């Protein structure tokens, strides 16, 4: 590893965005399941809202890969 | 293929005495999606149920209560043949027997519960052994009886009291004026007071008596349960079949509630596939009712026809994924084929492994042959199977990998585990080594994003072209914007071989001039002039759709980046498999120790199952999501009414 700081940065990026995604999905998912219990046809819309925060960790992944590419 | 089945509106008009025979006919044909009449007309009100409706509903309620008493759940293998005419008598006869047994059972159960409580109450007193009348009716003495976890100190604690002890139980006789103090000090030892039974005499004898009663009633309960079980075995088939038959009859008898009925005539309004209108009219016209057709309304203020999707056979398993999101409306393109092409490919790209792909494919084939046609599980597994086919092909020819182990080690990583290292030489070279060619994977993701979203905008244009020109032009604008973003990313990433090839060959015609004003440089990246213009054009045309459209350029960029999950999951899965395989092979399987070898086989099986399931689930969810979220939002509205012909029974499955 040429630059341990870059590797640590990548790890922090993944951890941070992972936690952020989990937190956001927890909030949305709970509400979605509640709404679906009343109206099952909301599944489609619910799933969309539920998975939207996943984009956060995908961005995290892109940034982490960029950082690691710098290291290599 | 891209449009749902064309529908025709049918009006069936006839004299009232023909109502019942018409209902029979319609129910048997299973053709017409009935539109409910809401009785907003003065002459035509909502019809009344047929005469037999209340009797039938009554029987249905009874049979359902019997079903719950007998705990009949799954339909038995063979169902009894049912004649609706003599159903009522049979149900009444059965009801008397079953309800009586059920009543007896409930009585015995409540009696047993009482006896159980009494046994609990008597047991501590039986261990103490004092006759029950000795615990009460004193003038100057209080009695405290209860459970106590620790007992040795009691005598020392209450010197003036008389204490009787048995296992975990104490009875304390104490002067009334000291009762409170005694209770406090007992409380500190964890004393919990018990109520004294109202009876007299020896508690041991009482307890024996109650226990004997309990045993007697338990055996009675078993007898009753045995009889009910016999009923269940004998009549389960009948009950299930009768419930089904009655449901159908009730549906028919209550159908007039959905029709417009006047004093002497009735009107049934509904939709059916245009291709089958002739069938309906030729079957009904001879019975003396009139059938009239009208084409679907063009305007948007009127009710849309129900939607029956019409797709080629290979795309049909995907229809349930579309309905899960939302049924398409009658006026928009049916995205089943769009999803049916994109989903399996994305799934295959993410799994990207010949071994797991073959397994998914086998599961799909088994589901195709073994599962019933209308089961949702079958459709789900077929969808996964098609993904498995892509995964097999890509794993074999592009990624050169099976069960997480590459065919040959990547260049410069000869120490890595590979099939060649295990002595199996597969004459196929990987074009992309997933774990090392991260940039290739990411560029492929962006390329797929451009194609997938591009088709999304084309669909959107077609959908909007018919009713809103401005929105249609905005869709073209977004298409241009997407192309701008794609060319920009290709330009930036052209240090990568594949991006360079795309930039040089398919995009060879694209003007190379860099945006001269340096605005894009200010944003962080120099970009080709034409890309910049296309992105701006998209933002401007987007204004036709909404005023905040220019901000949406960023969200489109985010959508494109979101496809990098294709690369992410693909690499992640390969990395997990690689790590597990590497550990198991080097430290267990290849050590030469027999015991470790057996353990290694076990661990290898578990690890493979884990990667297989994890890969399947995450690839499946992400592939669905890319379609639902990124692509469908660009063009798909849904909210259609699914076509449910009168008389068709829906199979309820989870």
């Amino acid at each position: 590893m040429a630059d341990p700081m870059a590797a640590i940065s990548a790890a922090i990026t993944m951890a941070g965005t992972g936690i952020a995604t989990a937190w956001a999905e927890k909030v949305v998912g709970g509400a979605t399941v509640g709404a679906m219990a009343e109206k099952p046809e909301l599944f489609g819309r619910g799933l969309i809202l539920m998975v939207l925060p996943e984009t956060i960790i995908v961005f995290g992944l892109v940034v982490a890969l960029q950082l690691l590419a710098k290291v290599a | 293929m891209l449009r749902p089945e064309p529908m025709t509106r049918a009006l069936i008009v006839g004299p009232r005495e023909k109502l019942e025979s018409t209902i029979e006919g319609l129910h048997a044909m299973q053709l017409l999606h009935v539109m409910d009449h809401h009785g907003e007309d003065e002459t035509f009100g909502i019809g009344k149920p047929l005469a037999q409706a209340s009797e039938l509903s009554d029987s249905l309620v009874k049979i359902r209560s019997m079903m719950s008493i007998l705990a009949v759940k799954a339909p038995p293998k063979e169902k009894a043949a049912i004649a609706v005419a003599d159903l009522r008598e049979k149900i009444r006869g059965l009801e008397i027997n079953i309800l009586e047994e059920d009543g007896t059972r409930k009585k015995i159960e409540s009696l047993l519960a009482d006896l159980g409580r009494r046994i609990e109450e008597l047991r501590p007193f039986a261990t103490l052994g004092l006759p029950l009348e000795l615990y009460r009716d004193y003038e100057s003495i209080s009695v405290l009886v209860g459970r106590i976890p620790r007992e040795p100190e009691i005598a020392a604690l209450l010197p003036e009291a008389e204490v009787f002890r048995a296992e975990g139980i104490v009875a304390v006789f104490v002067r009334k004026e000291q009762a409170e103090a005694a209770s406090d000090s007992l409380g500190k030892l964890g004393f919990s007071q018990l109520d004294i039974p109202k009876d007299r005499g020896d508690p041991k004898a009482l307890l024996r008596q109650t226990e004997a009663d309990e045993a007697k009633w338990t055996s009675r309960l078993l007898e009753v349960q045995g009889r009910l079980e016999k009923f269940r075995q004998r009549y389960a088939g009948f009950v299930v079949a009768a419930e089904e038959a009655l449901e159908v009859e009730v549906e028919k008898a209550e159908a007039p509630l959905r029709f417009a009925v006047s004093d002497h005539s009735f009107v049934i309004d509904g939709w059916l596939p245009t291709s089958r209108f002739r069938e309906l009219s030729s079957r009904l016209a001879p019975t003396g009712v009139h059938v009239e057709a009208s084409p679907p309304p063009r305007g948007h203020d009127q009710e849309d026809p129900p939607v029956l999707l019409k797709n080629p056979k290979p795309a049909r398993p995907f229809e349930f994924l579309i309905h899960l999101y939302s049924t398409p409306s009658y006026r928009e393109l049916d995205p089943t084929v769009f999803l049916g092409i994109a989903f399996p490919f994305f799934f295959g790209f993410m799994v990207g492994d010949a071994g797991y792909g073959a397994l998914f494919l086998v599961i799909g084939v088994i589901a195709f042959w073994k599962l019933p046609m209308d089961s949702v599980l079958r459709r789900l597994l077929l969808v996964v199977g098609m993904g498995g086919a892509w995964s097999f092909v890509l794993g074999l020819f592009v990624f050169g990998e099976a069960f997480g182990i590459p065919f040959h080690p990547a260049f410069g990583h000869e120490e890595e585990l590979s099939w060649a290292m295990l002595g199996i030489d597969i004459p196929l070279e990987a074009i992309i080594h997933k774990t090392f060619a991260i940039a290739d994977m990411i560029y492929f993701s962006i390329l797929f994003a451009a194609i997938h979203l591009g088709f999304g905008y084309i669909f959107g244009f077609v959908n909007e072209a018919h009713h809103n020109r401005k929105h249609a032009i905005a869709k073209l604008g977004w298409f241009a914007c997407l192309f701008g973003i794609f060319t920009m990313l290709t330009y930036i990433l052209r240090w990568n071989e594949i991006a360079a090839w795309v930039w040089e060959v398919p995009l060879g015609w694209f003007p190379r001039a860099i945006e001269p004003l340096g605005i894009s440089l200010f944003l962080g990246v120099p970009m080709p002039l034409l890309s910049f213009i296309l992105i701006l054009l998209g933002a401007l045309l987007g204004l036709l759709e909404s005023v905040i459209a220019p901000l949406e350029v960023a969200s489109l960029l985010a959508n494109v980046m979101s496809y990098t999950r294709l690369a992410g999951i693909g690499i992640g899965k390969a990395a997990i498999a690689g790590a597990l395989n590497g550990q198991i092979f080097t430290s267990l399987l290849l050590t030469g120790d027999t015991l470790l070898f057996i353990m290694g086989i076990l661990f290898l099986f578990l690890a493979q199952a884990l990667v297989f399931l994890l890969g399947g689930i995450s690839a499946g969810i992400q592939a669905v999501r890319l379609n639902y979220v990124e692509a469908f939002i660009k063009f798909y509205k849904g909210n259609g009414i699914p076509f449910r012909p009168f008389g068709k029974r829906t199979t309820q499955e989870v």
Side-chain angles (χ1 to χ4, degrees):
Chain A
M1 284 281 156
D3 189 352
M5 288 313 277
I8 291 170
S9 310
I12 293 173
T13 312
M14 286 314 290
T17 49
I19 291 167
T21 303
W23 192 6
E25 289 199 347
K26 175 199 150 202
V27 177
V28 183
T32 307
V33 170
M36 260 173 62
E38 300 233 331
K39 271 181 98 178
E41 62 269 28
L42 284 177
F43 176 86
R45 238 170 290 166
L47 186 74
I48 291 180
L49 292 174
M50 165 87 204
V51 296
L52 276 181
E54 261 169 32
T55 315
I56 305 171
I57 197 172
V58 174
F59 288 162
L61 180 73
V62 173
V63 171
L65 288 176
Q66 290 251 335
L67 283 165
L68 288 182
K70 291 251 156 62
V71 177
Chain B
M1 182 165 89
L2 292 172
R3 293 274 178 202
E5 187 77 45
M7 290 280 161
T8 295
R9 187 160 204 163
L11 280 182
I12 301 165
V13 186
R16 206 162 161 177
E17 62 269 20
K18 298 276 184 202
L19 184 56
E20 201 169 341
S21 63
T22 310
I23 291 175
E24 279 297 331
L26 282 177
H27 200 276
M29 273 185 278
Q30 303 188 349
L31 266 183
L32 191 75
H33 176 103
V34 176
M35 304 294 286
D36 293 356
H37 178 70
H38 298 297
E40 54 282 313
D41 198 296
E42 271 183 27
T43 333
F44 285 96
I46 296 173
K48 289 193 177 63
L50 301 179
Q52 65 271 33
S54 70
E55 201 174 285
L56 286 168
S57 321
D58 186 45
S59 299
L60 184 59
V61 171
K62 280 180 184 157
I63 208 98
R64 283 191 180 145
S65 97
M66 278 187 241
M67 273 178 100
S68 87
I69 291 171
L70 297 182
V72 183
K73 280 186 208 98
K77 285 273 177 328
E78 75 251 43
K79 284 182 208 155
I82 292 293
V84 179
D86 50 45
L87 208 54
R88 196 169 156 77
E89 278 314 303
K90 207 165 172 188
I91 289 174
R92 193 176 290 156
L94 204 56
E95 188 198 8
I96 294 170
N97 288 318
I98 291 180
L99 285 189
E100 195 179 277
E101 294 293 355
D102 188 48
T104 322
R105 185 181 64 181
K106 279 185 188 140
K107 258 185 230 156
I108 297 177
E109 275 170 355
S110 85
L111 192 68
L112 279 174
D114 286 345
L115 288 172
R117 271 195 297 278
R118 191 163 157 71
I119 289 171
E120 281 308 301
E121 194 185 51
L122 282 172
R123 189 162 285 146
F125 292 90
T127 52
L128 279 172
L130 296 176
L132 289 173
E133 61 269 21
L134 291 187
Y135 288 101
R136 54 178 174 259
D137 301 335
Y138 294 108
E139 272 175 21
S140 57
I141 293 176
S142 282
V143 186
L144 299 166
V145 187
R147 292 177 200 285
I148 195 153
R150 295 165 287 161
E151 35 185 312
E153 314 103 278
I154 291 179
L157 208 65
L158 305 164
E160 295 195 16
E162 185 165 11
V163 178
F164 293 85
R165 278 188 291 197
E167 245 173 280
I169 308 280
V170 285
V172 178
F173 293 75
V174 67
R175 256 187 267 140
K176 270 205 172 137
E177 59 268 23
Q178 290 175 355
E180 206 162 308
S183 168
D184 281 349
S185 24
L186 282 170
K188 281 177 198 140
L189 298 174
F191 176 81
S192 71
Q193 195 161 359
L194 293 169
D195 289 333
I196 297 160
K198 299 268 179 293
D199 313 67
R200 307 179 70 80
D202 179 12
K204 276 183 191 153
L206 281 170
L207 182 66
R208 268 198 303 278
Q209 175 64 35
T210 321
E211 278 172 342
D213 282 353
E214 192 192 30
K216 190 177 78 186
W217 286 107
T218 308
S219 73
R220 288 282 288 279
L221 181 67
L222 288 176
E223 275 169 37
V224 176
Q225 279 170 341
R227 282 203 290 277
L228 277 170
E229 175 60 27
K230 263 187 207 133
F231 273 121
R232 199 174 76 85
Q233 280 164 6
R234 212 162 138 200
Y235 293 109
F238 166 76
V239 170
V240 172
E243 203 236 353
E244 273 188 22
L246 280 169
E247 267 178 9
V248 171
E249 290 306 313
V250 168
E251 193 191 3
K252 280 194 246 173
E254 289 181 346
L257 289 170
R258 309 174 64 188
F259 306 154
V261 179
S262 74
D263 293 343
H264 304 289
S265 58
F266 68 88
V267 180
I268 302 172
D269 183 5
W271 294 96
L272 81 165
T274 309
S275 55
R276 304 189 66 184
F277 179 75
R278 195 170 285 279
E279 194 183 325
L280 179 83
S281 63
S282 66
R283 285 271 290 275
L284 284 184
T287 64
V289 295
H290 181 71
V291 185
E292 179 76 32
S294 63
R298 290 207 146 265
H300 280 272
D301 43 339
Q302 268 150 318
E303 266 179 298
D304 269 345
V307 174
L308 177 63
L309 298 183
K310 191 174 76 171
N311 281 299
K313 221 170 175 191
R316 256 177 245 165
F318 293 93
E319 285 178 359
F320 90 95
L321 282 173
I322 299 291
H323 286 297
L324 195 62
Y325 181 86
S326 180
T327 303
S329 93
Y330 188 71
R331 290 165 210 288
E332 68 185 336
L333 294 175
D334 165 14
T336 309
V337 173
F338 178 89
L339 180 84
I341 294 170
F343 176 91
F345 181 75
F346 287 164
F347 183 92
F349 187 78
M350 280 185 269
V351 175
D353 184 297
Y356 302 128
L359 280 182
F360 283 122
L361 188 59
V362 168
I363 290 175
V365 171
I366 292 173
F368 182 79
W369 291 113
K370 293 284 172 196
L371 290 177
M373 279 300 277
D374 55 351
S375 113
V376 174
L377 185 66
R378 177 178 188 266
R379 285 173 242 169
L380 181 70
L381 294 180
L382 282 183
V383 165
V384 169
M386 285 186 234
W390 267 114
S391 166
F392 181 69
V393 172
L394 292 173
L396 219 50
F397 299 108
V398 179
F399 300 119
E401 186 179 304
F403 296 107
I405 304 171
F407 295 161
H408 302 280
F411 183 72
H413 296 274
E414 279 73 16
E415 75 294 349
E416 298 274 329
L417 183 72
S418 68
W419 287 106
M421 192 184 185
L422 298 172
I424 301 165
D425 188 40
I426 299 158
L428 286 167
E429 278 295 336
I431 300 172
I432 298 172
H433 274 281
K434 256 191 266 183
T435 19
F436 304 111
I438 292 169
D440 289 354
M441 295 291 284
I442 287 186
Y443 185 72
F444 269 121
S445 304
I446 291 169
L447 183 66
F448 299 149
I451 297 169
H452 196 226
L453 294 177
F455 273 102
Y457 282 128
I458 293 171
F459 271 53
F461 172 74
V462 176
N463 280 340
E464 298 288 352
H466 287 295
H467 69 98
N468 193 329
R469 289 267 160 77
K470 277 187 183 171
H471 285 189
I473 294 170
K475 293 286 180 209
L476 285 184
W478 285 121
F479 185 82
C481 183
L482 175 70
F483 189 65
I485 289 176
F486 171 66
T487 48
M488 175 190 85
L489 289 172
T490 308
Y491 173 77
I492 295 169
L493 292 173
R494 69 191 189 290
W495 50 268
N496 172 266
E497 260 176 58
I498 296 159
W501 181 82
V502 173
W503 183 244
E504 294 303 333
V505 185
L507 288 178
W509 56 273
F510 197 82
R512 263 46 186 165
I514 296 298
E515 184 260 317
L517 298 173
I519 300 170
S520 56
L521 199 62
F522 177 70
L523 294 173
V525 276
M527 61 168 95
L529 179 61
L530 188 56
S531 307
F532 186 67
I533 292 173
L534 285 171
I535 293 171
L536 272 185
L537 180 75
L540 285 177
L541 289 177
L543 285 173
L544 293 169
E545 230 174 20
S546 90
V547 278
I548 56 158
L551 298 176
E552 303 248 328
V553 174
S555 86
L556 181 57
L557 183 65
N559 285 160
V560 173
M561 296 314 287
S562 183
Y563 280 74
T564 48
R565 73 187 64 224
L566 291 172
I569 304 270
I571 298 166
K573 199 224 77 197
I576 295 173
L580 287 172
N581 284 335
Q583 280 297 321
I584 291 168
F585 272 93
T586 48
S587 44
L588 294 173
L589 286 176
L590 303 179
T591 48
D593 185 312
T594 324
L595 192 68
L596 286 182
F597 184 80
I598 295 167
M599 259 173 72
I601 294 287
L602 190 74
F603 276 116
L604 187 66
F605 179 77
L606 288 176
Q608 290 290 341
L610 176 82
V611 176
F612 176 70
L613 284 177
L614 215 62
I617 292 171
S618 61
I621 289 179
Q622 300 300 339
V624 167
R625 176 224 145 98
L626 283 178
N627 282 287
Y628 278 2
V629 181
E630 269 75 17
F632 279 8
I633 283 176
K634 307 283 181 282
F635 68 94
Y636 184 57
K637 295 203 179 69
N639 267 335
I641 311 152
F643 179 71
R644 292 227 172 82
F646 178 61
K648 189 130 190 156
R649 292 184 39 87
T650 48
T651 42
Q652 288 174 340
E653 277 186 286
V654 178

